Amino acid sequence: MIKSRLSLSDCLPGLAVVGVLLLFYANSLWQLLQHSLPDTWQALFKDPYFWHILKFSLWQALLSALLSVVIGLFTAHALFYRSFYGKRWLLKIFSLTFVLPVLVAVFGLIGIYGLSGWLTSLLDWLNIGWRPNFYGLNGILIAHLFFNLPLAGKIFLQTLHSIPHQQRQLAAQLNIRNGNFFRLIEFPYLCQQLAAVFCLIFMLCFTSFAIVLTLGGGPKYTTLEVAIFQAITFDFDLGKAATLALIQFGLCFILFQGKIYFTRHTTTTVSKRQPDYQPPRLNRTFRIIHTITLLFVALFVGLPLLNILYSGLSSPALWQMWQNPMLWQAMAYSLTLAPLAALLALVMSIALLLTARRLRWHHYRKTADNLLNSGMMILAIPTLVLAIGLFLLLQNVGFSTLHLFVIVALCNALIAMPFVLRILATPFQNNMQYYEKLCQSLGIRGWTRWRVIEWQQLRRPVRSAYAYAFALSLGDFTAIALFGNQDFSSLPRLLYQQLGHYHSQEADVTALILLLLCALIFLLIEKNYDSSQSSEL
């Protein structure tokens, strides 16, 4: 067998992508530094409103993360031990929330908890005078919980499944059950994921944009991301926007490093396979807690989706909306942007993965990890911060629709890259381990290797990664909110405008269209690959 050597041609695809990404990020950050003047920093730090925004950003993220982690723990425990009709569908709905556009979920939540929502109608029927206050901090927490509770629940559920069956058998022999079993066996395993999940959800809530913009309800409930957007669109204060964006970047970078630090990948020499394992029946206290938790979670996650379906199908504007040229324009741009952004994310991710696995094969593990981390930099540099840097860089350029289209597509591709990398990392590495020596001995290289050897094992995860990237790009609102205009829009932007102008009947139809599109993509994901892997990000 001929021993291969690491050559420049092997590393060229990944290095080219890293170069483009670093140039892209560096230019954006440099523009922020250029426009962030010392006087602006001094004025900002003396402004009490800035400290209010910063404290509220951290406070709402802390509360959202705590609620998501605590209820996610109860949910995972209940799902692991209880078997019931519809459990499979509940887990599918959990996965659907992952690809659901934020504004669609917000619209569904307003239909449940708003002033004219289902909850208010139920209170009227029960002759209860209390009314829910959905806007402000309450609405932000509910919306964050809607998205992050399923994420935390699926991660903790996977952790419970990872406990070796032999440990459960030994605990049963020692009569360690119920609360003692949770305290001595399960909780130590869950603690290994607790800090990483908390940091991830905290970071997602801290950088939340569409939720706070829609439900914030005024200056009292504004976060850094919304303040950046307002400084550009309302005040056109470039210096203030740049300074706020740099502060946002610094805090997100610290949070991203914290998530990496707390992430632990544990291994065990004992087999974890549990082919026919049936969890033991717990005591009455646990069963009552599980029942209440599952009822709450099923209603909390399922009712907003039912409201979207009901409102859209019963809307008087269901057929009239199809005659609206703005809907067709937004749909055309969305269905063009999403596949292009997904393709860009897929191509760049594959280039990084091909180079990273080659580096690992030659024992450059640290370099390979850093290479893949470059594709996940969007988690440390939020999309709005990146978009502001691009806006400052290109503000003197005459923007055409084509320019805006390319910029938004690239931003959406960067948003999807971390998820594509996570889905494809293990299959690509496995292919390297299984077939590298065979390909070396037969002299199979390049496109022939990809077509004959690689594609047979990678086509299902690649299709799944593309579908995820498609769905995430379809529902993203951040980049289009900054660069969109009357001639260049998307379905999420159209839905935001309809909500802002109180065109509720038209918003019913737009939300229904987005939900059905994402559901179709989700069905494709479920058909092609195990979608639960994405929740490990």
Side-chain angles (χ1 to χ4, degrees), residues 22-36 242 245-246 249-250 377 381 385-386 389-390:
L22 290 179
L23 183 65
F24 194 60
Y25 288 121
N27 276 328
S28 294
L29 293 176
W30 176 249
Q31 288 298 318
L32 295 177
L33 288 170
Q34 289 287 93
H35 285 80
S36 181
L246 283 175
F249 161 69
M377 286 175 63
I381 306 176
V385 174
L386 183 64
L390 286 175

mmCIF file with all atom_site columns, all heavy atoms in Angstrom, residues 22-36 242 245-246 249-250 377 381 385-386 389-390:
data_model
loop_
_atom_site.group_PDB
_atom_site.id
_atom_site.type_symbol
_atom_site.label_atom_id
_atom_site.label_alt_id
_atom_site.label_comp_id
_atom_site.label_asym_id
_atom_site.label_entity_id
_atom_site.label_seq_id
_atom_site.pdbx_PDB_ins_code
_atom_site.Cartn_x
_atom_site.Cartn_y
_atom_site.Cartn_z
_atom_site.occupancy
_atom_site.B_iso_or_equiv
_atom_site.pdbx_formal_charge
_atom_site.auth_seq_id
_atom_site.auth_comp_id
_atom_site.auth_asym_id
_atom_site.auth_atom_id
_atom_site.pdbx_PDB_model_num
ATOM 1   N N   . LEU A 1 22  ? -12.660 34.494 6.652  1.00 0.00 ? 22  LEU A N   1
ATOM 2   C CA  . LEU A 1 22  ? -11.887 35.439 7.457  1.00 0.00 ? 22  LEU A CA  1
ATOM 3   C C   . LEU A 1 22  ? -11.899 36.829 6.831  1.00 0.00 ? 22  LEU A C   1
ATOM 4   O O   . LEU A 1 22  ? -11.998 37.840 7.542  1.00 0.00 ? 22  LEU A O   1
ATOM 5   C CB  . LEU A 1 22  ? -10.450 34.934 7.609  1.00 0.00 ? 22  LEU A CB  1
ATOM 6   C CG  . LEU A 1 22  ? -10.272 33.695 8.496  1.00 0.00 ? 22  LEU A CG  1
ATOM 7   C CD1 . LEU A 1 22  ? -8.806  33.283 8.542  1.00 0.00 ? 22  LEU A CD1 1
ATOM 8   C CD2 . LEU A 1 22  ? -10.782 33.952 9.908  1.00 0.00 ? 22  LEU A CD2 1
ATOM 9   N N   . LEU A 1 23  ? -11.788 36.885 5.509  1.00 0.00 ? 23  LEU A N   1
ATOM 10  C CA  . LEU A 1 23  ? -11.847 38.185 4.833  1.00 0.00 ? 23  LEU A CA  1
ATOM 11  C C   . LEU A 1 23  ? -13.204 38.833 5.044  1.00 0.00 ? 23  LEU A C   1
ATOM 12  O O   . LEU A 1 23  ? -13.305 40.049 5.298  1.00 0.00 ? 23  LEU A O   1
ATOM 13  C CB  . LEU A 1 23  ? -11.562 37.990 3.345  1.00 0.00 ? 23  LEU A CB  1
ATOM 14  C CG  . LEU A 1 23  ? -11.517 39.261 2.489  1.00 0.00 ? 23  LEU A CG  1
ATOM 15  C CD1 . LEU A 1 23  ? -10.343 40.152 2.919  1.00 0.00 ? 23  LEU A CD1 1
ATOM 16  C CD2 . LEU A 1 23  ? -11.385 38.894 1.013  1.00 0.00 ? 23  LEU A CD2 1
ATOM 17  N N   . PHE A 1 24  ? -14.241 38.031 4.962  1.00 0.00 ? 24  PHE A N   1
ATOM 18  C CA  . PHE A 1 24  ? -15.604 38.519 5.126  1.00 0.00 ? 24  PHE A CA  1
ATOM 19  C C   . PHE A 1 24  ? -15.819 39.064 6.531  1.00 0.00 ? 24  PHE A C   1
ATOM 20  O O   . PHE A 1 24  ? -16.288 40.204 6.721  1.00 0.00 ? 24  PHE A O   1
ATOM 21  C CB  . PHE A 1 24  ? -16.554 37.354 4.847  1.00 0.00 ? 24  PHE A CB  1
ATOM 22  C CG  . PHE A 1 24  ? -17.982 37.758 4.641  1.00 0.00 ? 24  PHE A CG  1
ATOM 23  C CD1 . PHE A 1 24  ? -18.342 38.616 3.620  1.00 0.00 ? 24  PHE A CD1 1
ATOM 24  C CD2 . PHE A 1 24  ? -18.982 37.263 5.466  1.00 0.00 ? 24  PHE A CD2 1
ATOM 25  C CE1 . PHE A 1 24  ? -19.657 38.984 3.429  1.00 0.00 ? 24  PHE A CE1 1
ATOM 26  C CE2 . PHE A 1 24  ? -20.300 37.616 5.285  1.00 0.00 ? 24  PHE A CE2 1
ATOM 27  C CZ  . PHE A 1 24  ? -20.638 38.477 4.257  1.00 0.00 ? 24  PHE A CZ  1
ATOM 28  N N   . TYR A 1 25  ? -15.453 38.266 7.536  1.00 0.00 ? 25  TYR A N   1
ATOM 29  C CA  . TYR A 1 25  ? -15.631 38.690 8.925  1.00 0.00 ? 25  TYR A CA  1
ATOM 30  C C   . TYR A 1 25  ? -14.700 39.851 9.272  1.00 0.00 ? 25  TYR A C   1
ATOM 31  O O   . TYR A 1 25  ? -15.098 40.794 9.971  1.00 0.00 ? 25  TYR A O   1
ATOM 32  C CB  . TYR A 1 25  ? -15.369 37.523 9.869  1.00 0.00 ? 25  TYR A CB  1
ATOM 33  C CG  . TYR A 1 25  ? -16.433 36.469 9.854  1.00 0.00 ? 25  TYR A CG  1
ATOM 34  C CD1 . TYR A 1 25  ? -16.144 35.147 9.520  1.00 0.00 ? 25  TYR A CD1 1
ATOM 35  C CD2 . TYR A 1 25  ? -17.750 36.778 10.188 1.00 0.00 ? 25  TYR A CD2 1
ATOM 36  C CE1 . TYR A 1 25  ? -17.125 34.174 9.510  1.00 0.00 ? 25  TYR A CE1 1
ATOM 37  C CE2 . TYR A 1 25  ? -18.727 35.811 10.176 1.00 0.00 ? 25  TYR A CE2 1
ATOM 38  C CZ  . TYR A 1 25  ? -18.416 34.515 9.835  1.00 0.00 ? 25  TYR A CZ  1
ATOM 39  O OH  . TYR A 1 25  ? -19.402 33.551 9.829  1.00 0.00 ? 25  TYR A OH  1
ATOM 40  N N   . ALA A 1 26  ? -13.455 39.785 8.809  1.00 0.00 ? 26  ALA A N   1
ATOM 41  C CA  . ALA A 1 26  ? -12.487 40.825 9.147  1.00 0.00 ? 26  ALA A CA  1
ATOM 42  C C   . ALA A 1 26  ? -12.911 42.170 8.580  1.00 0.00 ? 26  ALA A C   1
ATOM 43  O O   . ALA A 1 26  ? -12.787 43.206 9.260  1.00 0.00 ? 26  ALA A O   1
ATOM 44  C CB  . ALA A 1 26  ? -11.100 40.435 8.629  1.00 0.00 ? 26  ALA A CB  1
ATOM 45  N N   . ASN A 1 27  ? -13.413 42.185 7.348  1.00 0.00 ? 27  ASN A N   1
ATOM 46  C CA  . ASN A 1 27  ? -13.867 43.452 6.761  1.00 0.00 ? 27  ASN A CA  1
ATOM 47  C C   . ASN A 1 27  ? -15.034 44.041 7.541  1.00 0.00 ? 27  ASN A C   1
ATOM 48  O O   . ASN A 1 27  ? -15.094 45.258 7.768  1.00 0.00 ? 27  ASN A O   1
ATOM 49  C CB  . ASN A 1 27  ? -14.268 43.233 5.300  1.00 0.00 ? 27  ASN A CB  1
ATOM 50  C CG  . ASN A 1 27  ? -13.089 43.283 4.356  1.00 0.00 ? 27  ASN A CG  1
ATOM 51  O OD1 . ASN A 1 27  ? -12.129 44.012 4.607  1.00 0.00 ? 27  ASN A OD1 1
ATOM 52  N ND2 . ASN A 1 27  ? -13.133 42.507 3.294  1.00 0.00 ? 27  ASN A ND2 1
ATOM 53  N N   . SER A 1 28  ? -15.948 43.171 7.950  1.00 0.00 ? 28  SER A N   1
ATOM 54  C CA  . SER A 1 28  ? -17.098 43.661 8.716  1.00 0.00 ? 28  SER A CA  1
ATOM 55  C C   . SER A 1 28  ? -16.658 44.240 10.058 1.00 0.00 ? 28  SER A C   1
ATOM 56  O O   . SER A 1 28  ? -17.078 45.341 10.448 1.00 0.00 ? 28  SER A O   1
ATOM 57  C CB  . SER A 1 28  ? -18.100 42.525 8.928  1.00 0.00 ? 28  SER A CB  1
ATOM 58  O OG  . SER A 1 28  ? -18.661 42.109 7.713  1.00 0.00 ? 28  SER A OG  1
ATOM 59  N N   . LEU A 1 29  ? -15.812 43.505 10.778 1.00 0.00 ? 29  LEU A N   1
ATOM 60  C CA  . LEU A 1 29  ? -15.341 43.994 12.080 1.00 0.00 ? 29  LEU A CA  1
ATOM 61  C C   . LEU A 1 29  ? -14.491 45.242 11.939 1.00 0.00 ? 29  LEU A C   1
ATOM 62  O O   . LEU A 1 29  ? -14.532 46.141 12.789 1.00 0.00 ? 29  LEU A O   1
ATOM 63  C CB  . LEU A 1 29  ? -14.567 42.882 12.796 1.00 0.00 ? 29  LEU A CB  1
ATOM 64  C CG  . LEU A 1 29  ? -15.390 41.666 13.226 1.00 0.00 ? 29  LEU A CG  1
ATOM 65  C CD1 . LEU A 1 29  ? -14.489 40.607 13.834 1.00 0.00 ? 29  LEU A CD1 1
ATOM 66  C CD2 . LEU A 1 29  ? -16.472 42.064 14.217 1.00 0.00 ? 29  LEU A CD2 1
ATOM 67  N N   . TRP A 1 30  ? -13.684 45.307 10.858 1.00 0.00 ? 30  TRP A N   1
ATOM 68  C CA  . TRP A 1 30  ? -12.860 46.495 10.649 1.00 0.00 ? 30  TRP A CA  1
ATOM 69  C C   . TRP A 1 30  ? -13.724 47.733 10.406 1.00 0.00 ? 30  TRP A C   1
ATOM 70  O O   . TRP A 1 30  ? -13.420 48.821 10.903 1.00 0.00 ? 30  TRP A O   1
ATOM 71  C CB  . TRP A 1 30  ? -11.911 46.275 9.485  1.00 0.00 ? 30  TRP A CB  1
ATOM 72  C CG  . TRP A 1 30  ? -11.082 47.469 9.134  1.00 0.00 ? 30  TRP A CG  1
ATOM 73  C CD1 . TRP A 1 30  ? -11.155 48.239 8.012  1.00 0.00 ? 30  TRP A CD1 1
ATOM 74  C CD2 . TRP A 1 30  ? -10.057 48.059 9.941  1.00 0.00 ? 30  TRP A CD2 1
ATOM 75  N NE1 . TRP A 1 30  ? -10.253 49.253 8.055  1.00 0.00 ? 30  TRP A NE1 1
ATOM 76  C CE2 . TRP A 1 30  ? -9.559  49.171 9.233  1.00 0.00 ? 30  TRP A CE2 1
ATOM 77  C CE3 . TRP A 1 30  ? -9.515  47.743 11.197 1.00 0.00 ? 30  TRP A CE3 1
ATOM 78  C CZ2 . TRP A 1 30  ? -8.539  49.971 9.747  1.00 0.00 ? 30  TRP A CZ2 1
ATOM 79  C CZ3 . TRP A 1 30  ? -8.503  48.554 11.699 1.00 0.00 ? 30  TRP A CZ3 1
ATOM 80  C CH2 . TRP A 1 30  ? -8.028  49.637 10.973 1.00 0.00 ? 30  TRP A CH2 1
ATOM 81  N N   . GLN A 1 31  ? -14.802 47.566 9.655  1.00 0.00 ? 31  GLN A N   1
ATOM 82  C CA  . GLN A 1 31  ? -15.704 48.689 9.428  1.00 0.00 ? 31  GLN A CA  1
ATOM 83  C C   . GLN A 1 31  ? -16.351 49.144 10.734 1.00 0.00 ? 31  GLN A C   1
ATOM 84  O O   . GLN A 1 31  ? -16.539 50.342 10.955 1.00 0.00 ? 31  GLN A O   1
ATOM 85  C CB  . GLN A 1 31  ? -16.788 48.283 8.416  1.00 0.00 ? 31  GLN A CB  1
ATOM 86  C CG  . GLN A 1 31  ? -16.290 48.139 6.998  1.00 0.00 ? 31  GLN A CG  1
ATOM 87  C CD  . GLN A 1 31  ? -15.736 49.430 6.445  1.00 0.00 ? 31  GLN A CD  1
ATOM 88  O OE1 . GLN A 1 31  ? -16.303 50.508 6.653  1.00 0.00 ? 31  GLN A OE1 1
ATOM 89  N NE2 . GLN A 1 31  ? -14.605 49.337 5.757  1.00 0.00 ? 31  GLN A NE2 1
ATOM 90  N N   . LEU A 1 32  ? -16.675 48.191 11.588 1.00 0.00 ? 32  LEU A N   1
ATOM 91  C CA  . LEU A 1 32  ? -17.244 48.565 12.884 1.00 0.00 ? 32  LEU A CA  1
ATOM 92  C C   . LEU A 1 32  ? -16.236 49.353 13.711 1.00 0.00 ? 32  LEU A C   1
ATOM 93  O O   . LEU A 1 32  ? -16.583 50.353 14.359 1.00 0.00 ? 32  LEU A O   1
ATOM 94  C CB  . LEU A 1 32  ? -17.675 47.310 13.646 1.00 0.00 ? 32  LEU A CB  1
ATOM 95  C CG  . LEU A 1 32  ? -18.822 46.493 13.033 1.00 0.00 ? 32  LEU A CG  1
ATOM 96  C CD1 . LEU A 1 32  ? -19.077 45.241 13.855 1.00 0.00 ? 32  LEU A CD1 1
ATOM 97  C CD2 . LEU A 1 32  ? -20.091 47.321 12.930 1.00 0.00 ? 32  LEU A CD2 1
ATOM 98  N N   . LEU A 1 33  ? -14.970 48.909 13.698 1.00 0.00 ? 33  LEU A N   1
ATOM 99  C CA  . LEU A 1 33  ? -13.922 49.629 14.429 1.00 0.00 ? 33  LEU A CA  1
ATOM 100 C C   . LEU A 1 33  ? -13.703 51.023 13.855 1.00 0.00 ? 33  LEU A C   1
ATOM 101 O O   . LEU A 1 33  ? -13.465 51.980 14.601 1.00 0.00 ? 33  LEU A O   1
ATOM 102 C CB  . LEU A 1 33  ? -12.620 48.828 14.400 1.00 0.00 ? 33  LEU A CB  1
ATOM 103 C CG  . LEU A 1 33  ? -12.590 47.557 15.263 1.00 0.00 ? 33  LEU A CG  1
ATOM 104 C CD1 . LEU A 1 33  ? -11.345 46.743 14.948 1.00 0.00 ? 33  LEU A CD1 1
ATOM 105 C CD2 . LEU A 1 33  ? -12.631 47.904 16.741 1.00 0.00 ? 33  LEU A CD2 1
ATOM 106 N N   . GLN A 1 34  ? -13.780 51.144 12.546 1.00 0.00 ? 34  GLN A N   1
ATOM 107 C CA  . GLN A 1 34  ? -13.562 52.431 11.895 1.00 0.00 ? 34  GLN A CA  1
ATOM 108 C C   . GLN A 1 34  ? -14.632 53.456 12.274 1.00 0.00 ? 34  GLN A C   1
ATOM 109 O O   . GLN A 1 34  ? -14.352 54.642 12.411 1.00 0.00 ? 34  GLN A O   1
ATOM 110 C CB  . GLN A 1 34  ? -13.550 52.256 10.378 1.00 0.00 ? 34  GLN A CB  1
ATOM 111 C CG  . GLN A 1 34  ? -12.315 51.541 9.838  1.00 0.00 ? 34  GLN A CG  1
ATOM 112 C CD  . GLN A 1 34  ? -11.077 52.425 9.873  1.00 0.00 ? 34  GLN A CD  1
ATOM 113 O OE1 . GLN A 1 34  ? -10.310 52.405 10.842 1.00 0.00 ? 34  GLN A OE1 1
ATOM 114 N NE2 . GLN A 1 34  ? -10.872 53.202 8.841  1.00 0.00 ? 34  GLN A NE2 1
ATOM 115 N N   . HIS A 1 35  ? -15.849 52.972 12.418 1.00 0.00 ? 35  HIS A N   1
ATOM 116 C CA  . HIS A 1 35  ? -16.957 53.901 12.699 1.00 0.00 ? 35  HIS A CA  1
ATOM 117 C C   . HIS A 1 35  ? -17.220 54.061 14.202 1.00 0.00 ? 35  HIS A C   1
ATOM 118 O O   . HIS A 1 35  ? -18.025 54.909 14.593 1.00 0.00 ? 35  HIS A O   1
ATOM 119 C CB  . HIS A 1 35  ? -18.231 53.400 12.024 1.00 0.00 ? 35  HIS A CB  1
ATOM 120 C CG  . HIS A 1 35  ? -18.245 53.619 10.545 1.00 0.00 ? 35  HIS A CG  1
ATOM 121 N ND1 . HIS A 1 35  ? -17.580 52.779 9.656  1.00 0.00 ? 35  HIS A ND1 1
ATOM 122 C CD2 . HIS A 1 35  ? -18.826 54.587 9.783  1.00 0.00 ? 35  HIS A CD2 1
ATOM 123 C CE1 . HIS A 1 35  ? -17.759 53.203 8.425  1.00 0.00 ? 35  HIS A CE1 1
ATOM 124 N NE2 . HIS A 1 35  ? -18.518 54.295 8.473  1.00 0.00 ? 35  HIS A NE2 1
ATOM 125 N N   . SER A 1 36  ? -16.562 53.237 15.006 1.00 0.00 ? 36  SER A N   1
ATOM 126 C CA  . SER A 1 36  ? -16.750 53.329 16.450 1.00 0.00 ? 36  SER A CA  1
ATOM 127 C C   . SER A 1 36  ? -15.689 54.256 17.034 1.00 0.00 ? 36  SER A C   1
ATOM 128 O O   . SER A 1 36  ? -14.564 53.853 17.322 1.00 0.00 ? 36  SER A O   1
ATOM 129 C CB  . SER A 1 36  ? -16.655 51.929 17.077 1.00 0.00 ? 36  SER A CB  1
ATOM 130 O OG  . SER A 1 36  ? -16.844 51.994 18.450 1.00 0.00 ? 36  SER A OG  1
ATOM 131 N N   . ALA A 1 242 ? -22.308 50.957 15.196 1.00 0.00 ? 242 ALA A N   1
ATOM 132 C CA  . ALA A 1 242 ? -21.038 50.227 15.162 1.00 0.00 ? 242 ALA A CA  1
ATOM 133 C C   . ALA A 1 242 ? -20.553 49.897 16.563 1.00 0.00 ? 242 ALA A C   1
ATOM 134 O O   . ALA A 1 242 ? -20.062 48.789 16.828 1.00 0.00 ? 242 ALA A O   1
ATOM 135 C CB  . ALA A 1 242 ? -19.990 51.044 14.413 1.00 0.00 ? 242 ALA A CB  1
ATOM 136 N N   . ALA A 1 245 ? -22.651 47.184 18.034 1.00 0.00 ? 245 ALA A N   1
ATOM 137 C CA  . ALA A 1 245 ? -22.343 45.915 17.370 1.00 0.00 ? 245 ALA A CA  1
ATOM 138 C C   . ALA A 1 245 ? -21.052 45.309 17.909 1.00 0.00 ? 245 ALA A C   1
ATOM 139 O O   . ALA A 1 245 ? -20.942 44.089 18.080 1.00 0.00 ? 245 ALA A O   1
ATOM 140 C CB  . ALA A 1 245 ? -22.248 46.130 15.858 1.00 0.00 ? 245 ALA A CB  1
ATOM 141 N N   . LEU A 1 246 ? -20.055 46.150 18.187 1.00 0.00 ? 246 LEU A N   1
ATOM 142 C CA  . LEU A 1 246 ? -18.803 45.638 18.759 1.00 0.00 ? 246 LEU A CA  1
ATOM 143 C C   . LEU A 1 246 ? -19.026 45.079 20.160 1.00 0.00 ? 246 LEU A C   1
ATOM 144 O O   . LEU A 1 246 ? -18.448 44.037 20.530 1.00 0.00 ? 246 LEU A O   1
ATOM 145 C CB  . LEU A 1 246 ? -17.756 46.752 18.795 1.00 0.00 ? 246 LEU A CB  1
ATOM 146 C CG  . LEU A 1 246 ? -17.079 47.104 17.460 1.00 0.00 ? 246 LEU A CG  1
ATOM 147 C CD1 . LEU A 1 246 ? -16.173 48.308 17.637 1.00 0.00 ? 246 LEU A CD1 1
ATOM 148 C CD2 . LEU A 1 246 ? -16.279 45.909 16.939 1.00 0.00 ? 246 LEU A CD2 1
ATOM 149 N N   . PHE A 1 249 ? -20.664 41.786 19.736 1.00 0.00 ? 249 PHE A N   1
ATOM 150 C CA  . PHE A 1 249 ? -19.696 40.779 19.289 1.00 0.00 ? 249 PHE A CA  1
ATOM 151 C C   . PHE A 1 249 ? -18.846 40.292 20.462 1.00 0.00 ? 249 PHE A C   1
ATOM 152 O O   . PHE A 1 249 ? -18.617 39.085 20.619 1.00 0.00 ? 249 PHE A O   1
ATOM 153 C CB  . PHE A 1 249 ? -18.804 41.359 18.196 1.00 0.00 ? 249 PHE A CB  1
ATOM 154 C CG  . PHE A 1 249 ? -17.524 40.592 17.997 1.00 0.00 ? 249 PHE A CG  1
ATOM 155 C CD1 . PHE A 1 249 ? -17.547 39.317 17.456 1.00 0.00 ? 249 PHE A CD1 1
ATOM 156 C CD2 . PHE A 1 249 ? -16.302 41.136 18.365 1.00 0.00 ? 249 PHE A CD2 1
ATOM 157 C CE1 . PHE A 1 249 ? -16.369 38.592 17.286 1.00 0.00 ? 249 PHE A CE1 1
ATOM 158 C CE2 . PHE A 1 249 ? -15.125 40.427 18.193 1.00 0.00 ? 249 PHE A CE2 1
ATOM 159 C CZ  . PHE A 1 249 ? -15.166 39.148 17.655 1.00 0.00 ? 249 PHE A CZ  1
ATOM 160 N N   . GLY A 1 250 ? -18.363 41.213 21.285 1.00 0.00 ? 250 GLY A N   1
ATOM 161 C CA  . GLY A 1 250 ? -17.523 40.826 22.415 1.00 0.00 ? 250 GLY A CA  1
ATOM 162 C C   . GLY A 1 250 ? -18.240 39.901 23.375 1.00 0.00 ? 250 GLY A C   1
ATOM 163 O O   . GLY A 1 250 ? -17.695 38.870 23.812 1.00 0.00 ? 250 GLY A O   1
ATOM 164 N N   . MET A 1 377 ? -18.216 30.395 13.156 1.00 0.00 ? 377 MET A N   1
ATOM 165 C CA  . MET A 1 377 ? -17.974 31.731 13.716 1.00 0.00 ? 377 MET A CA  1
ATOM 166 C C   . MET A 1 377 ? -19.235 32.582 13.783 1.00 0.00 ? 377 MET A C   1
ATOM 167 O O   . MET A 1 377 ? -19.291 33.546 14.534 1.00 0.00 ? 377 MET A O   1
ATOM 168 C CB  . MET A 1 377 ? -16.901 32.448 12.894 1.00 0.00 ? 377 MET A CB  1
ATOM 169 C CG  . MET A 1 377 ? -15.498 31.934 13.126 1.00 0.00 ? 377 MET A CG  1
ATOM 170 S SD  . MET A 1 377 ? -14.277 32.716 12.028 1.00 0.00 ? 377 MET A SD  1
ATOM 171 C CE  . MET A 1 377 ? -14.404 34.431 12.570 1.00 0.00 ? 377 MET A CE  1
ATOM 172 N N   . ILE A 1 381 ? -20.237 35.693 16.086 1.00 0.00 ? 381 ILE A N   1
ATOM 173 C CA  . ILE A 1 381 ? -20.485 36.988 15.441 1.00 0.00 ? 381 ILE A CA  1
ATOM 174 C C   . ILE A 1 381 ? -21.914 36.965 14.923 1.00 0.00 ? 381 ILE A C   1
ATOM 175 O O   . ILE A 1 381 ? -22.176 36.419 13.849 1.00 0.00 ? 381 ILE A O   1
ATOM 176 C CB  . ILE A 1 381 ? -19.495 37.253 14.293 1.00 0.00 ? 381 ILE A CB  1
ATOM 177 C CG1 . ILE A 1 381 ? -18.058 37.121 14.784 1.00 0.00 ? 381 ILE A CG1 1
ATOM 178 C CG2 . ILE A 1 381 ? -19.721 38.638 13.688 1.00 0.00 ? 381 ILE A CG2 1
ATOM 179 C CD1 . ILE A 1 381 ? -17.023 37.283 13.691 1.00 0.00 ? 381 ILE A CD1 1
ATOM 180 N N   . VAL A 1 385 ? -24.734 41.770 13.546 1.00 0.00 ? 385 VAL A N   1
ATOM 181 C CA  . VAL A 1 385 ? -23.431 42.425 13.649 1.00 0.00 ? 385 VAL A CA  1
ATOM 182 C C   . VAL A 1 385 ? -22.694 42.331 12.322 1.00 0.00 ? 385 VAL A C   1
ATOM 183 O O   . VAL A 1 385 ? -22.109 43.305 11.835 1.00 0.00 ? 385 VAL A O   1
ATOM 184 C CB  . VAL A 1 385 ? -22.605 41.790 14.784 1.00 0.00 ? 385 VAL A CB  1
ATOM 185 C CG1 . VAL A 1 385 ? -21.192 42.357 14.813 1.00 0.00 ? 385 VAL A CG1 1
ATOM 186 C CG2 . VAL A 1 385 ? -23.291 41.999 16.126 1.00 0.00 ? 385 VAL A CG2 1
ATOM 187 N N   . LEU A 1 386 ? -22.720 41.159 11.715 1.00 0.00 ? 386 LEU A N   1
ATOM 188 C CA  . LEU A 1 386 ? -22.085 40.963 10.414 1.00 0.00 ? 386 LEU A CA  1
ATOM 189 C C   . LEU A 1 386 ? -22.751 41.829 9.351  1.00 0.00 ? 386 LEU A C   1
ATOM 190 O O   . LEU A 1 386 ? -22.068 42.456 8.516  1.00 0.00 ? 386 LEU A O   1
ATOM 191 C CB  . LEU A 1 386 ? -22.179 39.487 10.031 1.00 0.00 ? 386 LEU A CB  1
ATOM 192 C CG  . LEU A 1 386 ? -21.507 39.055 8.733  1.00 0.00 ? 386 LEU A CG  1
ATOM 193 C CD1 . LEU A 1 386 ? -20.006 39.258 8.814  1.00 0.00 ? 386 LEU A CD1 1
ATOM 194 C CD2 . LEU A 1 386 ? -21.834 37.614 8.435  1.00 0.00 ? 386 LEU A CD2 1
ATOM 195 N N   . GLY A 1 389 ? -21.729 45.487 9.632  1.00 0.00 ? 389 GLY A N   1
ATOM 196 C CA  . GLY A 1 389 ? -20.405 45.699 9.058  1.00 0.00 ? 389 GLY A CA  1
ATOM 197 C C   . GLY A 1 389 ? -20.449 45.751 7.549  1.00 0.00 ? 389 GLY A C   1
ATOM 198 O O   . GLY A 1 389 ? -19.786 46.604 6.915  1.00 0.00 ? 389 GLY A O   1
ATOM 199 N N   . LEU A 1 390 ? -21.226 44.868 6.929  1.00 0.00 ? 390 LEU A N   1
ATOM 200 C CA  . LEU A 1 390 ? -21.367 44.894 5.467  1.00 0.00 ? 390 LEU A CA  1
ATOM 201 C C   . LEU A 1 390 ? -22.055 46.172 4.999  1.00 0.00 ? 390 LEU A C   1
ATOM 202 O O   . LEU A 1 390 ? -21.684 46.754 3.977  1.00 0.00 ? 390 LEU A O   1
ATOM 203 C CB  . LEU A 1 390 ? -22.166 43.678 5.011  1.00 0.00 ? 390 LEU A CB  1
ATOM 204 C CG  . LEU A 1 390 ? -21.457 42.326 5.052  1.00 0.00 ? 390 LEU A CG  1
ATOM 205 C CD1 . LEU A 1 390 ? -22.422 41.218 4.689  1.00 0.00 ? 390 LEU A CD1 1
ATOM 206 C CD2 . LEU A 1 390 ? -20.277 42.328 4.096  1.00 0.00 ? 390 LEU A CD2 1
#
